[in-house]
Amino acid sequence: MVEIGEGAFSGCENLSSIIVDKGNPRYDSRNNSNCIIETRTNTLVQGCKESLIPTSVKVIGPLAFEYLYELKCIEIPGSVTEIGNGAFSWCENLEHITIPNSVNTLHRGAFEYCGKLTEFTIPASVKTISPDIFDNCSHITDVYVLGYKMPEVETYRNSFPDWVQEATLQVPASLVDYYRSTKPWNKFGRIEALHEEATSVGQGQVGTSDDSVVNAYGIDGTVISDAKKGINVIQHQNGKVRKIIK
């Protein structure tokens, strides 16, 4: 096997194991990941419901997890910089996804038809998104943008889906007016400053009322490992985003 096309296993919703022969010259399934990975580019080209994405993966390819109806949650490692077209489309039971602060591009329809998502966080690292990344995700009530530079929206379509008119977009306070006056972001029904919640934190680690912290950012949008004096932005495993004050 020397070539696997996009979506080659699309619709194999019960597929739970993927093993690539160690002698394959192009692909591997390193670290018992249950994934097919293009070795040279570190691109994950196919996953399954039991996949564990290795920390060496750089790109999640187009349609890699499409139609995996049983997928409820998956961890995307901080090595990933790009999520391809339709990568998680039609994962109808996906309840939570955390985009690490390494991803700079979210391509077309990356999360379309993920109908059980209720929140979506765009980390500070994201520079470009597509307006249809969450088409038909009408249960999303809150979208969080953590960066202090507005992500560029690809222009092949001039608007986000209609459901955003019922949703809240939360952005850094200094950018609220900018988002309210800029298309297509101003289609959101409400655009507010990221909600602030004062929390006491100790030295050496970010402290919150929820231990499942997956990302922490300084007020400038950069990733931090320890809480700094002033305001810090915390992203939790459950998708919640909070500000804490040290």
Side-chain angles (χ1 to χ4, degrees):
M1 177 70 71
V2 295
E3 185 171 359
I4 299 174
E6 293 179 5
F9 296 85
S10 180
C12 297
E13 58 186 276
N14 293 314
L15 183 65
S16 60
S17 177
I18 300 175
I19 299 173
V20 178
D21 186 89
K22 291 183 179 180
N24 190 285
R26 184 169 179 181
Y27 301 102
D28 67 79
S29 53
R30 67 193 69 165
N31 306 122
N32 299 313
S33 60
N34 287 314
C35 302
I36 299 175
I37 300 165
E38 187 176 48
T39 305
R40 181 179 61 84
T41 63
N42 291 309
T43 296
L44 192 158
V45 298
Q46 185 63 55
C48 68
K49 65 180 182 179
E50 299 296 336
S51 290
L52 297 173
I53 302 175
T55 56
S56 53
V57 166
K58 302 295 184 184
V59 176
I60 298 176
L63 310 180
F65 291 89
E66 185 187 40
Y67 290 113
L68 291 183
Y69 298 128
E70 294 189 29
L71 189 68
K72 293 184 177 181
C73 183
I74 191 164
E75 183 176 351
I76 299 176
S79 57
V80 173
T81 61
E82 185 176 338
I83 298 177
N85 295 348
F88 293 92
S89 61
W90 291 95
C91 291
E92 293 182 338
N93 288 301
L94 186 65
E95 297 174 348
H96 171 70
I97 192 80
T98 298
I99 311 299
N101 196 53
S102 56
V103 173
N104 53 55
T105 305
L106 297 171
H107 286 288
R108 298 185 63 170
F111 298 96
E112 65 181 353
Y113 290 95
C114 292
K116 288 196 174 180
L117 290 177
T118 58
E119 296 180 330
F120 195 89
T121 299
I122 300 172
S125 58
V126 171
K127 307 303 180 188
T128 306
I129 69 169
S130 295
D132 61 357
I133 58 167
F134 31 54
D135 271 10
N136 296 288
C137 297
S138 57
H139 286 91
I140 293 178
T141 58
D142 293 276
V143 175
Y144 304 93
V145 179
L146 302 187
Y148 281 78
K149 184 176 181 180
M150 180 184 290
E152 179 183 352
V153 180
E154 295 179 355
T155 57
Y156 61 86
R157 195 178 80 181
N158 62 6
S159 187
F160 289 120
D162 288 343
W163 66 258
V164 304
Q165 297 175 83
E166 304 298 325
T168 299
L169 178 68
Q170 294 191 34
V171 301
S174 61
L175 298 180
V176 168
D177 289 341
Y178 188 29
Y179 275 86
R180 286 175 176 171
S181 62
T182 303
K183 293 181 179 181
W185 299 100
N186 59 6
K187 187 172 182 177
F188 277 84
R190 294 167 298 281
I191 300 178
E192 304 173 352
L194 286 164
H195 291 167
E196 183 172 328
E197 184 173 350
T199 304
S200 175
V201 296
Q203 295 287 349
Q205 63 179 15
V206 176
T208 71
S209 59
D210 184 341
D211 290 333
S212 54
V213 174
V214 293
N215 284 312
Y217 307 89
I219 195 63
D220 60 353
T222 57
V223 177
I224 59 173
S225 57
D226 296 327
K228 297 180 180 180
K229 185 175 182 180
I231 297 175
N232 300 269
V233 179
I234 305 300
Q235 181 184 8
H236 296 270
Q237 182 65 35
N238 61 11
K240 295 285 187 181
V241 176
R242 305 164 62 230
K243 284 184 180 178
I244 61 171
I245 302 174
K246 180 177 179 181

